[in-house]
Amino acid sequence: MINGPLLYMVHGFLNIDKPQGITSTDVVRVVKRNARQKRVGHGGTLDPMATGVLPIALGNATRLLEYLLEEERKAYTATLRLGITTDSDDAEGAVIAEAPIPTLDPALIESVLSQFRGAIEQVPPQYAAIRVDGKRMYEYAREGKHIELPARPITIEQLDLLAWDAQQLTIAVDCSKGTYIRAIARDIGALLGCGAHLTALRRTRAGAFDLSNSISLAKLDQQPEAFAAALLPPQAALANWPLINLADAAVADVRMGRVVQVDSQVERVGLLDQAGQLVAIAVLRETGYQPIKVFAVEE
């Protein structure tokens, strides 16, 4: 925890390695207590059962959370228990069916996994946060009501078998946003003819954030000095964008909301000052780059 009263606002991101058994909101609460500030938010919810990468924004970096939610690519490792189907498609649900597991071998497993690679259609699980007529699907599921949603397009960039035995598979998945790993577990079990559910899930990457520069919540909570060392600048969320350093005169124009000319033709860019601090998000117009989010010095 930061020692003494907070005399300044902290801005940036913490790449938290979320532990199992708590919600993403619980993580935000711990960070708020450590940072002693209110402007804190998370970039992409992880279920309590899941662990791994959870970007946490502080201060003016919370204004960048919408771009994290746009990030197309996420990566996970997941463990599937074969032979048992649950109503939630994971270990937290009630068992609804059991079936014998076929004799597994690498060729059979690969023949099933190969059907999930690339652009596919996926039916969301019943326990999903998708709204239907104003209610979350999981609310209907808890009432015992089954909601049939049409399949949605997703992309599985990579799907690899990491380990297996007679009862379970461990896989690595690199996928587009909107992919339900629980549904992949469900559908793999269906193709094997025995059913399956998810027993462990670890997010290894979310956009520009991965496990290599993450910090455990316990370390953050127990070692005050770890906070400053773990804090990443706001532009860490834009690592996959063009980031352009501006001359001082152009920085002044941007802070006034004026269009600036920079050497780029992409739709949007991050604009930095000469010290490498984020000044603005700008989008391409006919006359140049128009700032749409400006980060004032006092922020």
Side-chain angles (χ1 to χ4, degrees):
M1 184 178 295
I2 296 174
N3 293 318
L6 186 65
L7 301 178
Y8 59 92
M9 184 71 73
V10 176
H11 307 290
F13 281 90
L14 292 170
N15 183 7
I16 300 295
D17 184 351
K18 187 187 94 63
Q20 190 174 24
I22 65 173
T23 67
S24 299
T25 301
D26 292 332
V27 175
V28 168
R29 190 175 298 114
V30 172
V31 173
K32 280 184 177 181
R33 184 177 72 243
N34 278 271
R36 298 186 181 179
Q37 67 182 58
K38 296 181 178 180
R39 291 180 64 189
V40 179
H42 63 77
T45 302
L46 280 178
D47 291 339
M49 188 187 84
T51 68
V53 172
L54 181 66
I56 301 293
L58 299 95
N60 63 27
T62 57
R63 298 175 63 194
L64 302 172
L65 285 174
E66 65 180 274
Y67 303 119
L68 282 186
L69 297 177
E70 290 178 6
E71 286 285 354
E72 287 293 334
R73 298 282 291 277
K74 293 181 173 64
Y76 302 86
T77 58
T79 300
L80 289 55
R81 173 63 164 88
L82 305 177
I84 299 175
T85 303
T86 70
D87 59 2
S88 64
D89 302 320
D90 63 22
E92 296 183 341
V95 174
I96 57 175
E98 296 190 42
I101 302 168
T103 301
L104 300 177
D105 60 61
L108 173 61
I109 296 171
E110 173 57 25
S111 70
V112 170
L113 296 187
S114 66
Q115 299 182 53
F116 294 89
R117 300 188 184 109
I120 64 171
E121 299 279 319
Q122 183 185 73
V123 176
Q126 287 297 298
Y127 281 81
I130 299 169
R131 287 189 181 276
V132 178
D133 295 331
K135 288 177 64 173
R136 304 284 190 184
M137 281 187 63
Y138 59 72
E139 294 179 297
Y140 289 109
R142 288 168 181 165
E143 294 171 357
K145 299 176 181 177
H146 184 88
I147 303 297
E148 197 67 49
L149 284 186
R152 300 181 172 200
I154 61 168
T155 301
I156 307 296
E157 298 287 348
Q158 190 170 348
L159 176 58
D160 297 321
L161 179 66
L162 299 181
W164 64 282
D165 60 28
Q167 292 188 323
Q168 66 180 25
L169 309 177
T170 299
I171 58 176
V173 186
D174 188 326
C175 57
S176 63
K177 68 177 182 179
T179 300
Y180 287 92
I181 309 300
R182 285 178 289 143
I184 292 177
R186 175 199 67 201
D187 295 341
I188 287 174
L191 283 178
L192 286 170
C194 60
H197 68 277
L198 191 69
T199 58
L201 181 66
R202 183 160 178 74
R203 187 157 68 189
T204 56
R205 190 180 72 252
F209 296 88
D210 62 39
L211 284 175
S212 66
N213 63 351
S214 66
I215 181 173
S216 72
L217 193 62
K219 182 176 181 180
L220 184 73
D221 206 25
Q222 297 167 10
Q223 300 180 23
E225 68 280 3
F227 189 98
L231 188 67
L232 303 171
Q235 60 265 32
L238 312 177
N240 297 327
W241 293 32
L243 298 175
I244 299 172
N245 290 89
L246 300 177
D248 291 343
V251 169
D253 284 339
V254 168
R255 294 201 187 283
M256 294 294 291
R258 297 172 182 147
V259 171
V260 293
Q261 306 298 321
V262 299
D263 186 17
S264 180
Q265 289 298 315
V266 300
E267 180 183 354
R268 60 191 182 188
V269 297
L271 302 177
L272 313 179
D273 62 19
Q274 288 297 300
Q277 300 298 309
L278 183 64
V279 176
I281 302 297
V283 296
L284 184 62
R285 306 294 192 208
E286 289 185 4
T287 55
Y289 277 91
Q290 174 68 57
I292 58 170
K293 288 192 180 186
V294 178
F295 299 90
V297 176
E298 61 269 21
E299 286 191 296

